[in-house]
DNA sequence: CTGTTAGCGCCTTCAC
DNA sequence: GTGAAGGCGCTAACAG
């Protein structure tokens, strides 16, 4: 990691006349003459992609001059530079990033590893990463691990072969084990919501504990006294922290921790877990429930509908994440919002800072209580 | 596009002992001695990444022999090959795909352009693409265009600079205009659910018309006679086809086409469009509605809830797409399922076939009616 | 079977 | 200001 990072050529392409280039789809014939010229200059039919050398030949200069001109080097005559740039433009030259990468040793790519792209929680994070990365001239490789640690490290190696400048792993199953290997990898890795045990240096996460605490506090404020928690057994660290927030809230309120009110279904589907939790919680007399995440809450709600348990009249429900669906299910879900897009942004920011040789420190985002329709004061139906 | 494509080195890495390698996170010290050896051989502290030459030096052979051995060429003595592979393994050699790409002129990457990653419709398609691509040793670049044609072509160029082997564009806004440029680009592009006017050669799409027809037919079968349609003005081609399916169904049933029953709200949010459509449709006396997509239907349902319009008692609703949320909203949504994962798969398959120099033809997928709770026979409340 | 020689397309000293 | 030369890491003829 160089202390003084080079300019990203993808951000500062400097070919000139790019506005025209962007309009090819409106006036596709603008380049016709230029293409003919190119063909005349270089009649090889197989390899018609124009390189820096072709331009050099056409311009009657050396390829190094072309190289310089194209990257706006001050060490070249402004006039020849302009001519070269125009020529490049006309000939339809498109720089070969592969070749650039080989010599500069930077690819301006980052690898992003997710458990699943179609997870409504993750997609916004990816969007945040992609947004910042693109803006900074980086491209992102996306690969899913399907929550399999073996896959995860296989992907890391695959990214490594591609010489990505850095990686971001969402909900990593390997997590802190990267630390040991990091120096060997020589590639910075930032973790978002790490789901493996242990601490990891570069990470972005959400404040699970105070989030859960705020959720339970909300139920307490409404007057609930028998509050349940539906956990997630396959995301141990965040589940532990959310459970801790739950306990903390009860403790503060002087309420006992009742194990009947805490359930950890064993399926690997959030929705199914929610569905399975309902009956036990109702039996235990819960009037309010904090769920590990929105999908769990939604699953619980679908089951409630089938069972004739009314939400929120019979039991109030609080989710976690604030996925899009949470506000258009019926009743709309009260939840703890994770600023996912911002978290993606932050992770990308941290990675780029790392690449620029800067010091970085972990970021923990607070979550925000969003009150909707799924929570009300407890009814007196139970008597 | 070579007629006889080379083997993908990412799929056939052939370093041997990969099982051990995959276990580094369990026993991270296994490579220690090898690393020491490497260090001893090449004490340069800055550039400690081992290359093919380092291995050659360590093994006492030429780098081309190493290259051959590493790619399982039969032109090398099995014993030395084994030795070299082991050495590579021990020294922690990781092939440089960038360098490989430069010489082979293939990057084994594909670029995927989406309108938005967090669109629940799109994410499954991306998943399908990624699944097949990964399996075939390709990596995927993901970039979003935010439905902006200018962005879309900018991304195409950016991918072009990176020398992706091919691209897939979901819901393209440029569409058939690629055709003209395609020969210049020299990179195959496959379109999924093209949303620009005009025909395009390589495309994967869903049969909008018969889908919509089936949806309306379902309502007709239930006994509905006043059936509305909520369209989408910013996806003209598919909207036109779905509308055509709607008309077709009415025509077959001998029902007139009533413009009061067809509404195209002008916002750019599916959900908001659904919300805005409700009042007019109710005023027009619709008892059943086909919506452009599930989010539109869900928006319409949220508005109905607010207005006291009961679904499905007062009006039956049919969506399109079958996004995850459609089955856990209340009432669960009757919809036309698009096989999104398979469509992503098909697009990737088509692209790889193109890269292998094979002939391909368009694919159109049928959609499947999924009946849930949002549709029932019309009540007689209206009298 | 193996080593030598050329590049792939580009950037970068180093001379002129 | 500009060109010549070397090299990034690897593959692919071509000779031995």
């Amino acid at each position: 990691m160089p202390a003084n990072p080079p300019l990203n050529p993808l951000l500062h392409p400097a070919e000139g006349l790019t506005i025209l280039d962007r309009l090819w789809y409106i006036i596709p014939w603008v380049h016709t003459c230029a293409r003919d010229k190119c063909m005349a200059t270089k009649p090889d039919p197989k390899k018609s992609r124009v390189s820096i050398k072709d331009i050099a030949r056409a311009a009657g200069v050396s390829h190094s001059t072309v190289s310089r001109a194209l990257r706006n080097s001050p060490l070249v005559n402004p006039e020849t530079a302009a001519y070269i740039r125009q020529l490049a433009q006309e000939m339809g030259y498109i720089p070969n990033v592969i070749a650039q990468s080989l010599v500069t040793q930077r690819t301006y790519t980052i690898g992003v590893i997710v458990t699943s792209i179609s997870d409504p929680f993750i997609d916004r994070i990816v969007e945040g990463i992609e947004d910042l990365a693109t803006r900074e001239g980086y491209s992102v490789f996306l690969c899913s691990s399907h929550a399999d640690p073996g896959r995860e490290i296989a992907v890391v190696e695959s990214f490594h072969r591609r010489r990505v400048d850095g990686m971001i792993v969402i909900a990593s199953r390997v997590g802190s084990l990267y630390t040991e290997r990091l120096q060997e990898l020589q590639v910075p890795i930032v973790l978002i919501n790490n789901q493996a045990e242990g601490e990891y240096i570069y990470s972005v996460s959400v404040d699970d504990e105070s989030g859960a605490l705020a959720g339970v506090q909300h139920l307490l404020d409404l007057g609930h006294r028998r509050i349940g928690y539906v956990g997630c057994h396959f995301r141990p660290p965040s589940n532990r922290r959310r459970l801790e927030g739950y306990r903390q809230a009860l403790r503060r309120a002087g309420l006992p921790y009742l194990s009947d009110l805490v359930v950890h279904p064993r399926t690997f589907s959030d929705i199914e877990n929610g569905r399975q939790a309902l009956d036990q919680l109702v039996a235990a007399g819960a009037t309010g429930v904090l769920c590990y995440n929105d999908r769990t809450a939604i699953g619980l709600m679908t089951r409630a509908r089938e069972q004739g348990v009314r939400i929120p009249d019979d039991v109030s429900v609080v989710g976690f994440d604030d996925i899009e669906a949470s506000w258009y299910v019926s009743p709309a879900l009260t939840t703890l919002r994770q600023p996912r897009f911002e978290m993606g942004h932050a992770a990308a920011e941290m990675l780029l800072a790392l690449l620029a040789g800067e010091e970085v420190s972990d970021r923990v985002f607070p979550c925000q209580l969003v009150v909707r329709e799924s929570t009300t004061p407890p009814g007196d139906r139970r008597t």
Side-chain angles (χ1 to χ4, degrees), chain A:
Chain A
M1 283 162 267
N4 188 16
L7 276 176
N8 181 337
L10 275 57
L11 261 192
H12 309 273
E15 253 101 309
L17 301 181
T18 49
I19 292 163
L20 256 187
D21 203 30
R22 284 178 152 235
L23 289 175
W24 59 257
Y25 64 103
I26 292 174
I27 30 173
W29 54 85
V30 288
H31 293 315
T32 311
C33 57
R35 213 184 320 136
D36 292 345
K37 185 172 184 176
C38 168
M39 288 311 179
T41 312
K42 195 162 193 323
D44 183 353
K46 274 173 56 192
K47 195 191 78 55
S48 55
R49 213 168 236 158
V50 14
S51 85
I52 213 179
K53 278 186 188 166
D54 302 316
I55 300 173
R57 206 170 308 141
V61 296
S62 78
H63 57 149
S64 23
T65 303
V66 175
S67 174
R68 280 190 275 257
L70 257 28
R71 35 188 39 256
N72 285 342
S73 164
L75 309 130
V76 59
N77 185 316
E79 287 176 22
T80 50
Y83 177 57
I84 288 171
R85 282 197 283 268
Q86 191 199 329
L87 212 53
Q89 172 66 25
E90 288 177 358
M91 294 170 71
Y93 170 71
I94 292 185
N96 186 330
V97 177
I98 298 295
Q100 292 179 158
S101 297
L102 188 59
V103 40
T104 62
Q105 302 285 53
R106 299 201 74 174
T107 56
Y108 294 99
T109 58
I110 69 181
V112 174
I113 308 177
V114 302
T115 49
S116 161
I117 304 161
S118 62
D119 185 326
F121 171 74
I122 284 176
D123 52 24
R124 279 294 287 171
I125 299 183
V126 175
E127 208 155 59
I129 296 172
E130 195 259 336
D131 182 69
L132 191 81
T134 300
R135 197 176 305 171
E136 299 293 326
Y138 281 73
S139 289
V140 351
F141 279 118
L142 186 69
C143 209
S144 44
S145 67
H146 303 292
D148 168 8
R151 270 290 298 152
E152 187 175 326
I153 64 158
V155 174
V156 167
E157 188 185 310
S158 131
F159 282 162
H160 204 182
R161 292 167 120 87
R162 302 221 108 110
R163 297 297 189 266
V164 298
D165 291 338
M167 308 188 206
I168 295 176
V169 189
I170 304 173
S172 170
R173 289 337 210 240
V174 177
S176 59
L177 292 158
Y178 285 127
T179 315
E180 310 155 10
R181 181 80 167 180
L182 205 58
Q183 45 193 343
E184 296 182 49
L185 285 181
Q186 304 186 94
V187 168
I189 301 184
V190 172
L191 264 36
I192 301 181
N193 282 5
N194 178 21
Q195 295 299 342
E197 297 291 352
E199 293 291 316
Y200 180 76
I201 358 165
Y202 308 127
S203 69
V204 169
S205 56
V206 78
D207 191 343
D208 292 300
E209 189 170 329
S210 5
L213 193 147
V216 175
Q217 189 59 51
H218 167 63
L219 290 170
L220 288 166
D221 291 346
L222 287 172
H224 293 272
R225 283 299 170 267
R226 293 189 71 84
I227 298 173
Y229 175 73
V230 185
C232 175
H233 70 93
F234 56 93
R235 297 181 181 98
S238 55
N239 183 61
R240 188 172 4 82
R241 290 190 298 264
R242 291 179 197 181
L243 185 54
E244 185 49 37
Y246 165 83
R247 301 179 89 128
Q248 183 84 23
L250 294 187
R251 203 175 307 131
R252 286 195 192 171
L255 257 32
Y257 174 89
L258 303 173
S259 56
D260 278 3
L261 288 172
V262 174
V263 18
H264 283 89
R266 309 305 295 177
T267 82
F268 284 87
S269 151
D270 290 316
I271 297 211
E272 191 51 35
N273 279 354
R275 292 178 56 82
Q276 295 196 3
L278 180 82
D279 298 12
Q280 179 181 333
L281 289 172
V282 168
T287 66
V289 177
L290 171 70
C291 294
Y292 174 81
N293 66 14
D294 287 346
R295 296 169 116 204
T296 306
I298 288 170
L300 184 141
M301 280 167 45
T302 62
R303 175 73 178 162
R305 199 160 73 213
E306 293 168 15
Q307 297 290 97
V309 174
R310 293 169 307 164
I311 311 277
D313 310 49
D314 297 333
V315 15
S316 286
V317 178
V318 177
F320 211 112
D321 288 357
D322 191 34
I323 63 176
E324 184 187 75
S326 69
W327 65 266
Y328 56 62
V329 291
S330 168
L333 191 62
T334 293
T335 190
L336 282 318
R337 171 181 301 156
Q338 293 200 46
R340 292 167 287 153
F341 188 83
E342 288 74 15
M343 289 166 69
H345 244 244
E349 220 165 55
M350 185 180 294
L351 192 59
L352 297 195
L354 244 21
L355 292 176
E358 298 164 17
E359 294 286 319
V360 302
S361 52
D362 282 10
R363 297 209 37 194
V364 178
F365 283 77
C367 5
Q368 187 200 342
L369 177 69
V370 180
V371 179
R372 296 206 184 89
E373 307 163 0
S374 66
T375 47
T376 55
D380 46 359
R381 169 177 165 276
R382 285 176 306 105
T383 50

